[in-house]
Every structure is written in structure tokens, then in C-alpha cells.
Amino acid sequence: MSSEKTEVDFDVAEINKDYERLYGFHTNTDYLKNSTRGVSPDIIRQISKIKNEPEWMLEFRLSSLEIFNSMPDPTWMDGSVFDEINYEDLYYYASAGDKKYNDWNDVPEDIKDTFERLGVPEAERKFLAGVSAQFESEVVYHHLQEELEKKGVIFLDFDTGVQKHGDLIRKYIAKLVPQGDNKFAALNSACWSGGSFVYIPPGVKVEIPLQAYFRINAESIGQFERTIIIADKGSSVHYIEGCTAPTYSKTAFHTGVIELFAEEDAYLRYTTIQNWSTNVLNLVTQRAIAKKNATVEWMDGNLGAKTTMKYPAVYLAEPGARGRVVSIGYANKGQRQDAGAKMIHAAPHTTSSITAKSISHNGGRSSYRGLIKVNKGASHVKTDVECDALLLDDFSESDTYPTIDVRERKDVSVMHEATVGKVSDETIYYLKSRGIKEEDALLMVVNGFIQEFTRELPMEYAVELNRLIALEMEGSIG
Amino acid sequence: MNSPLLELKGLCSTVFSEDTDQQIPILKGVDLAINKGEIHVLMGVNGSGKSSLAHVLMGHPNHQITEGEARFDGTPIQDMEPDERARAGMFLAFQYPHAIGGLPVGTFLKAAVEARRSEEVPFRVFKRELDAALEKLGISKEFLGRSLNEGFSGGEKKRNEILQMHLLKPTLAMLDETDSGLDVDALKKVFHDVREFANQDNALLVITHYDRVLDYIQPTHVHIMSDGRIVKSGGADLSKRIDEEGFEAVLGVEASV
Ligand SMILES: Nc1ncnc2c1ncn2[C@@H]1O[C@H](COP(=O)(O)OP(=O)(O)OP(=O)(O)O)[C@@H](O)[C@H]1O
Ligand SMILES: [Mg+2]
């Protein structure tokens, strides 16, 4: 296994070198001003060739690019959000993927500072900063990997997935998120790099969460991550993407596509906590299908980023399917968290629940945007939506845009509950009367507010999330 | 003799009414001195200002001292935040404790204990103290996992307040109608326990309407409040008379506001 890994590393190095020589790729910005811009079919061809991709993938990329070029911006949000995207610069993004820092010393001070305060161990910090692949946990990971391989589990980065399991990927890719689903999905389909490919064979229960950062040749969540997870019949898996430490991106645009397939009786949970630096526009299309008696759960935490637009969806395709989304968003100064969920009840006897919690602070804005759809014939359906907004001051905002579209009447129960609240002075007074300082009191209330999300996380993530929230709130009180 | 633990001189206060957006005068000149080792009971008709006095002393954001003096351990408290007062040794068992969704009782208690002591308390040390207190008050451990005061019965809320008093070990504990909401057995247990808590290094100010409570805690002083003032003070016998004859008869007609 290790020799194989070295080979891959070598290839990657070669790609970069080659690419630099061929296209004059440099990180200095002068180059951007002087070169041909935008993503051209030629560039896509080159990338695909360098990655040694099969012909079908090249065609997939090229047709996606065509779709992208012909599509307008989404209309459901005010267009100003998209004005900031400089598609011209995509030349740079598409070719390089996410540029990692090669040295801890190059990581910006504020990011380093946050790592320190989070108490992230040195090794992990190095890894998170993209310094080296010599992550200590790799040893642990290898054991895990062996165990999983024995059971037939596939857990690879998407590129390797395409190389080794092309037929499987070809069968599933873009089945839930078609290339033309939205402009950004099209762009991702054309330019994707990074992400995971996971396959769990029938009946296999993966006991410990699969964490993206234990993956071979893990890239930090890429600019255009592409992930497919397939939980075959009766299998079960919990996949965790990202980490709570801030993901610094020099590039200001992240657009991912995640597709989850839960076959009959399968259980699939996808957890992500994203904490992009505050310059990033984060647009991710997350969609899942749940077959007979299968369960899909999205646990979605969004901090950081300038703008987030994310609406994890579950398509409840067969009787007995269950879908669940639990999400939290924290919109701080200058940030906008536009998040929500979609549940499509396409079969009878299906259930879904959405719990969306948002916190707005220092003038930040959180929105809940959701869709509940019950198709004709989908009787005996139960769906529950709860969205709660917490405003930490008088000048932050929250709003909700729920859409409920029910086409079946027989035994359909739709519950929708929305609350907007502030932390009451009385509550803070009560905590303070116990000796607890005001900022700690406020933090306790906020952590209580998102507890429904936190309790779903593995312990270390829950602890880190709480600490992260503390950092977000730090210095916000007089 | 040292200065009293709590000393109030001509204390006047207003409360901010959110309905009318106005400051309403409540306390109209309260004089009171409480020394360590004493147990004071405060009685008085509904609306006479008992809870207001407790909140003024604890530092409720809507209650403001307008005149007079309030000292705790010799220090004026007017400019102290509620948390500073609590860390200095004051405690109020609320008549209506607040609920906080998603905040487990156990987490809250540990944070409060650490705040009061201004240091981290190792989990094992905390657990030992907690277990002892829970057993004493007959509270089950499952209670710790519940959200603070959320969906608690009246009695559970009150017991939770007393549990906090035990863990925080204040030097001045003010109990605002802790008896209301407790069943007969719980009342006995809780107040027996409150009596045990009292010692020569602390003091209690117990607000109640019921003479029965006095039997358990054997107060050294009893005060009657009326229209924002303490109008009569005495020993335990004063409450016996009120119990038998009523406020009106003891205080005269002016108390029947
Ligand atoms: N926030 C407020 N807004 C308006 N009036 C208030 C407010 N808080 C207290 N008051 C008024 O102050 C007076 C004293 O109230 P307080 O709660 O102190 O009485 P109390 O003696 O504790 O009564 P009880 O025996 O019923 O508990 C009452 O008339 C009450 O209506
Ligand atoms: Mg009262």
C-alpha cells in the first residue's frame, strides 16, 4: 500500500510541475492579469489528460462546461451575491484546486491564532494547514483502512475513485444533482477536484465515523469538491467531512456537489461543519436519495464564510424511507447564512424532519429556506419542520422562506414551526446571579440553543464546536 | 462587633415597567441589618415588595436603587454586577426560576460552582460534592441531564434552587417563597436541610407566607413588610401572631392596601 501511495504522490508532483511549465502557472497575480482567462474547453481537456481520466469523464466535464456557460445565475436570491464572483479568475481555480500553504509560517496570523486558541494539536494543525501528508494519525488510519478493505468498503478521494472504480462512479454521478441543476453544479461538474468516493457493501456496518481527513492523499476540502457516498442494502455508515478549524482559502469561492445514495434498509449520515474564512462564497448542492426503509441524515453546521447557500435535500423514493436534517448556522458581522433543507416525499409511508437553528450576531443575517413536497399518491406521510432563530442583538437579522407543496391528502401530516427569539435579560440575570459572568452566560444560552445539533456530534467535534462558538462570540460584549 | 453581613439604610428603589415604560417606586426606605449566624424571615401581604427587595439586593437589571445604602460585608453593592455579588457570597433562590433550553442542569451547576470559587473544579471533586447534595435533597441523578428548569414541576424548580444553594455555599442566602410548590414531605425535607445549612458563618433571609416554615428553620428575627417598608420586626412569636390574627390585626388598618 505504501509504495502505491508514493507513486500517486509522485504523479501529483509531476502534474504540478508539468502544469507550471506548460501554462506558466504562478501564484503571483501579475500572471492573472496577463493570461487568457476563464475556463476554456482546452483547459478542461488538459486537466483531464493530466489526471489520466477516462474518456467519459472528459465528456462529462466538457458538456458540463457548456451548460455552465449557457446558464443564468440563480434567481432565488438577490443577484448582488453573485456579482462578486469573478468567473474570469476560474482559470486559476480550475487548474490549481485549493492552494495549500506549504509552510506553517506562511499561514496568516489570525488563522494561526485561532488554531492556538482552539488547542488543536501541533500535528493536526500542520495537517490542517496543508503542510504535510505525514499526519501522525496516518498510522491509525492505515489500520482502519485495512479493516475496511477486508469488508469491501471503498473510501477514496474522488480522483482515485475515478481511476479505480470508474464504472461505479459513472453509474451514480450526477444522478441526483444533474449537471444543469444549477449554475454552480454545472461549474463543479466541469471543474471538480477533491472530495470523496465511498461505497459500503450490502450488510456492512461501519462502526466508527469515516472522517474525510483520514483519507489517502486527502486534500483539504477543495474548491470544487465532489463526493459520492453509496450505502448499499442494509449497510450503515456515518461520514464526517471537514473540520471545525477554520478552513482558510485564498480563493474566494467554494462550490461543492455531494450525492448520497441509501439503498434498501441502509442508514447513511453525513456530517459537516464548515468554517470558511470570511471572504468565501460557499455554495454547495447536497442531495440524497433514500430507498425502501432507508434513512438519510444530514447534519450541517455552517460558520464563517461571507455567504453560505446550502439546502441539503432528501428524496424519499420508496415506502418506509426517512429523511432528517439538523442544521445550525452562525451569521456574524458581514456574513449571510442562507441555509435550509428540502424533503421530497415521492412515496407513501415516508417521514421527514428538519431542525434548523440559526444565530445572528453583530449585524449578521440568517435565513431559512426550505421545501417540503408531498407528491400525489404519497399518502401516510409525516413531516416536521422546526426552525428557530436566535438574535443576539437588535441589528442582526433573520428570516424564513418555507415552501410547502402538498399534492396528497390521505393521512398527510405537515408540521411547521418557526420561532425568532432573543436572549432575555431575565435569563442572563438568572445565570449571573449564580456568579457566572455575562459573556459566559450568553455562551451557555447559545450552546443550549444549538444543543439539538451538538448532541448528534462525536464528542470531540461537539467540544470543538462549542469552543468555536465561544471564539465567534468573544469580544462581542462591552 | 463587626459590621453586619447585610446592612440596608433607608433603601429606596424603582422598577422599570416594560408595559408602561416607566419607573415605578417600590421600596420606600428599608432599614435592615443581618449578622452572621442569624436567620431572618420576611413576611408581608402580596405585592408589599418582598421579592423586589430580594432582586434589588441581587442586582436585577430592572430594579434600581434610587436612595439609601446597601452594604454586603461592608462593601456598597449598588455598582456591583449580579455575578460579582454572587461571587462575593450572595445568593437568591428565585420565586420563579428561569428555564434555559438545552442547558443541562449538570453543566450549569459545574459552571456556577467554578464561577463562585473562581477556579476550575476537577470533575471528580465536583461529582463527590454533587452526589452528596443530591442524596441529601432526595434528587435523582437523571435530573442532571435535563434542561435547566425546563418543564420542571413547581417543586422540582424549588429543590433545584436549594441544590444550588448547597453547592455554592453563599454567606447570605435569600430564599423567596421556596416553600410554595413543595409538597408536605418535600417541604419538611428541604427546610430541615436549610436549617442544617445555617451556621455561625452565614445568614439566611427567608421570604414566606407560612408560619409552618418557621417551625422548621427557627428564625432569630421576623420582619413584616408593607408598601415597600419594613413596618414591624420581632422574634419568632411575631409570625405566630400573624398566623393567628392576620396582617391587618397585627399592623393596624394601614397594612390592608
Ligand atoms: N416589572 C414590574 N413592573 C411593574 N410592576 C412591578 C414589577 N415588578 C414588581 N412590580 C410591582 O411591585 C410591587 C411589589 O412586588 P413584589 O413582587 O416585590 O411583591 P411581593 O411582596 O414579593 O409579593 P408576593 O407575596 O405576591 O410574592 C407589586 O405591586 C408589583 O406589581
Ligand atoms: Mg414575591
Side-chain angles (χ1 to χ4, degrees):
Chain A
M1 180 176 250
S2 63
S3 66
E4 176 187 309
K5 190 169 167 297
T6 322
E7 241 170 61
V8 176
D9 278 344
F10 177 75
D11 285 349
V12 172
E14 283 303 293
I15 288 168
N16 285 338
K17 207 162 72 191
D18 210 22
Y19 204 66
E20 214 166 295
R21 185 176 58 76
L22 284 172
Y23 300 102
F25 175 77
H26 297 291
T27 47
N28 85 43
T29 45
D30 286 348
Y31 136 82
L32 281 175
K33 285 185 207 121
N34 302 327
S35 68
T36 337
R37 300 190 179 191
V39 184
S40 71
D42 280 350
I43 286 172
I44 295 287
R45 268 192 205 96
Q46 285 302 337
I47 294 170
S48 191
K49 190 176 174 199
I50 290 160
K51 290 186 175 210
N52 198 20
E53 285 178 351
E55 187 63 24
W56 68 265
M57 180 50 81
L58 173 62
E59 272 158 26
F60 177 80
R61 286 182 185 274
L62 289 173
S63 57
S64 301
L65 182 66
E66 245 171 71
I67 295 170
F68 167 73
N69 285 329
S70 66
M71 274 184 98
D73 284 341
T75 50
W76 75 92
M77 219 153 119
D78 52 276
S80 62
V81 170
F82 308 108
D83 290 348
E84 293 163 27
I85 306 172
N86 189 356
Y87 291 111
E88 304 278 279
D89 287 350
L90 288 173
Y91 177 95
Y92 173 79
Y93 305 146
S95 57
D98 219 7
K99 248 326 209 196
K100 294 176 198 171
Y101 287 96
N102 296 319
D103 193 326
W104 179 243
N105 293 324
D106 293 340
V107 176
E109 280 306 317
D110 57 326
I111 299 286
K112 271 196 232 174
D113 206 38
T114 311
F115 277 117
E116 297 289 350
R117 287 188 293 176
L118 275 170
V120 180
E122 183 71 21
E124 199 168 328
R125 234 193 285 160
K126 275 188 188 155
F127 175 81
L128 295 171
V131 170
S132 87
Q134 287 1 100
F135 190 34
E136 280 174 356
S137 298
E138 234 173 276
V139 187
V140 181
Y141 164 71
H142 278 304
H143 286 299
L144 171 68
Q145 185 77 358
E146 274 167 30
E147 283 298 304
L148 292 174
E149 264 173 23
K150 268 187 226 155
K151 291 178 173 171
V153 170
I154 301 167
F155 180 28
L156 299 167
D157 65 281
F158 207 79
D159 277 300
T160 312
V162 169
Q163 295 301 324
K164 291 191 170 176
H165 304 279
D167 290 347
L168 206 49
I169 288 185
R170 191 176 183 183
K171 195 172 139 198
Y172 285 95
I173 195 166
K175 287 293 174 294
L176 295 177
V177 184
Q179 294 154 284
D181 184 84
N182 63 72
K183 188 167 183 162
F184 304 104
L187 180 61
N188 174 286
S189 300
C191 306
W192 69 264
S193 67
S196 292
F197 176 65
V198 178
Y199 172 79
I200 315 294
V204 171
K205 316 258 185 223
V206 181
E207 305 292 346
I208 52 169
L210 291 183
Q211 307 194 25
Y213 63 70
F214 284 147
R215 210 179 42 206
I216 291 184
N217 295 332
E219 271 178 62
S220 58
I221 311 175
Q223 192 89 41
F224 297 110
E225 61 171 315
R226 185 91 198 186
T227 287
I228 289 179
I229 301 175
I230 304 154
D232 215 328
K233 286 182 183 170
S235 70
S236 121
V237 65
H238 180 190
Y239 175 91
I240 302 182
E241 176 66 79
C243 61
T244 54
T247 312
Y248 187 78
S249 174
K250 284 199 279 191
T251 53
F253 184 47
H254 166 247
T255 179
V257 172
I258 321 287
E259 296 173 287
L260 310 183
F261 300 82
E263 298 294 334
E264 190 173 331
D265 291 322
Y267 171 88
L268 203 173
R269 173 183 283 199
Y270 183 101
T271 296
T272 177
I273 299 171
Q274 297 197 327
N275 184 27
W276 294 94
S277 46
T278 52
N279 59 324
V280 171
L281 175 57
N282 186 27
L283 314 162
V284 186
T285 310
Q286 304 185 166
R287 216 162 282 171
I289 186 167
K291 301 275 186 69
K292 195 176 168 199
N293 296 327
T295 301
V296 172
E297 298 177 330
W298 294 102
M299 301 291 144
D300 202 47
N302 296 300
L303 292 98
K306 187 167 199 291
T307 302
T308 298
M309 292 168 68
K310 245 177 159 195
Y311 323 96
V314 184
Y315 189 80
L316 301 147
E318 293 179 8
R322 283 178 295 266
R324 184 165 168 237
V325 173
V326 182
S327 71
I328 59 143
Y330 195 117
N332 214 330
K333 189 177 177 184
Q335 295 176 336
R336 175 149 188 205
Q337 303 287 2
D338 197 90
K342 297 182 195 172
M343 292 291 177
I344 318 295
H345 292 263
H349 299 280
T350 48
T351 55
S352 67
S353 90
I354 298 169
T355 307
K357 303 259 182 183
S358 74
I359 298 155
S360 308
H361 194 190
N362 294 323
R365 178 169 170 195
S366 306
S367 307
Y368 169 79
R369 200 179 298 274
L371 170 69
I372 295 292
K373 190 167 180 206
V374 180
N375 289 354
K376 183 94 194 109
S379 62
H380 304 87
V381 157
K382 198 173 172 301
T383 169
D384 232 314
V385 180
E386 186 195 330
C387 45
D388 300 319
L390 184 66
L391 304 175
L392 294 188
D393 48 50
D394 291 331
F395 53 105
S396 296
E397 287 177 83
S398 120
D399 37 32
T400 58
Y401 307 94
T403 305
I404 297 170
D405 179 1
V406 178
R407 309 266 169 106
E408 173 61 53
R409 292 186 167 210
K410 198 172 165 215
D411 200 7
V412 170
S413 146
V414 179
M415 304 261 281
H416 179 96
E417 210 183 306
T419 66
V420 182
K422 281 192 187 172
V423 183
S424 84
D425 290 346
E426 294 276 334
T427 302
I428 296 298
Y429 164 57
Y430 182 66
L431 293 173
K432 282 172 82 176
S433 79
R434 270 44 178 160
I436 296 165
K437 290 185 181 139
E438 181 149 345
E439 57 265 36
D440 295 335
L442 193 57
L443 182 60
M444 288 170 96
V445 174
V446 169
N447 280 338
F449 177 73
I450 61 165
Q451 189 249 4
E452 277 173 78
F453 179 78
T454 319
R455 73 172 175 215
E456 299 289 344
L457 301 174
M459 183 62 109
E460 65 272 25
Y461 281 80
V463 169
E464 225 172 279
L465 179 65
N466 282 356
R467 271 197 250 152
L468 204 66
I469 300 265
L471 289 180
E472 287 282 335
M473 290 175 60
E474 211 168 73
S476 60
I477 298 168
Chain B
M1 204 181 138
N2 296 332
S3 66
L5 182 63
L6 181 75
E7 189 173 32
L8 311 180
K9 282 185 188 162
L11 193 68
C12 296
S13 76
T14 56
V15 68
F16 176 73
S17 160
E18 296 185 353
D19 302 332
T20 61
D21 236 12
Q22 278 176 341
Q23 297 286 348
I24 305 168
I26 306 286
L27 299 183
K28 297 166 183 166
V30 175
D31 296 307
L32 181 66
I34 298 178
N35 295 295
K36 283 185 178 172
E38 295 177 350
I39 299 176
H40 290 238
V41 162
L42 184 61
M43 303 180 90
V45 296
N46 297 133
S48 56
K50 304 179 298 294
S51 294
S52 297
L53 174 61
H55 284 306
V56 165
L57 295 179
M58 204 65 240
H60 190 294
N62 287 357
H63 287 268
Q64 259 191 353
I65 295 177
T66 50
E67 257 180 80
E69 246 186 78
R71 288 171 181 271
F72 179 73
D73 246 344
T75 314
I77 58 172
Q78 184 159 1
D79 294 332
M80 288 166 77
E81 285 291 310
D83 53 307
E84 293 174 304
R85 300 182 197 198
R87 290 198 295 275
M90 297 177 80
F91 176 85
L92 172 61
F94 282 49
Q95 186 174 2
Y96 307 108
H98 290 276
I100 300 174
L103 175 59
V105 172
T107 306
F108 161 70
L109 290 176
K110 187 152 186 288
V113 164
E114 291 183 335
R116 166 81 170 104
R117 297 180 196 171
S118 298
E119 64 180 16
E120 270 187 39
V121 179
F123 180 73
R124 270 185 302 141
V125 175
F126 173 69
K127 190 172 179 305
R128 216 180 302 129
E129 288 177 38
L130 183 60
D131 285 348
L134 287 175
E135 195 178 325
K136 224 176 185 183
L137 292 162
I139 299 172
S140 87
K141 281 189 186 147
E142 274 120 60
F143 193 70
L144 300 174
R146 292 179 62 181
S147 290
L148 185 60
N149 290 322
E150 210 177 46
F152 283 21
S153 74
E156 284 169 337
K157 282 186 187 167
K158 297 306 172 75
R159 260 191 270 199
N160 183 30
E161 295 291 289
I162 294 304
L163 174 63
Q164 293 168 46
M165 178 190 78
H166 270 282
L167 293 169
L168 299 177
K169 298 187 178 47
T171 44
L172 176 67
M174 302 180 276
L175 313 185
D176 192 357
E177 293 198 32
T178 301
D179 50 308
S180 72
L182 290 176
D183 63 52
V184 189
D185 294 357
L187 184 80
K188 196 170 167 180
K189 195 168 211 153
V190 165
F191 278 90
H192 177 75
D193 208 61
V194 169
R195 181 69 192 83
E196 253 185 32
F197 176 79
N199 60 34
Q200 287 311 304
D201 294 317
N202 62 25
L204 299 178
L205 177 61
V206 179
I207 297 170
T208 182
H209 289 293
Y210 298 105
D211 188 52
R212 200 173 31 192
V213 168
L214 279 72
D215 291 340
Y216 294 122
I217 57 170
Q218 297 155 358
T220 53
H221 300 71
V222 174
H223 310 278
I224 314 294
M225 195 158 200
S226 175
D227 191 24
R229 280 186 202 92
I230 289 177
V231 292
K232 210 172 180 72
S233 296
D237 55 316
L238 183 57
S239 85
K240 282 275 176 294
R241 277 184 60 205
I242 289 165
D243 198 40
E244 281 155 20
E245 303 168 31
F247 283 113
E248 214 172 307
V250 175
L251 299 177
V253 277
E254 77 271 23
S256 59
V257 271

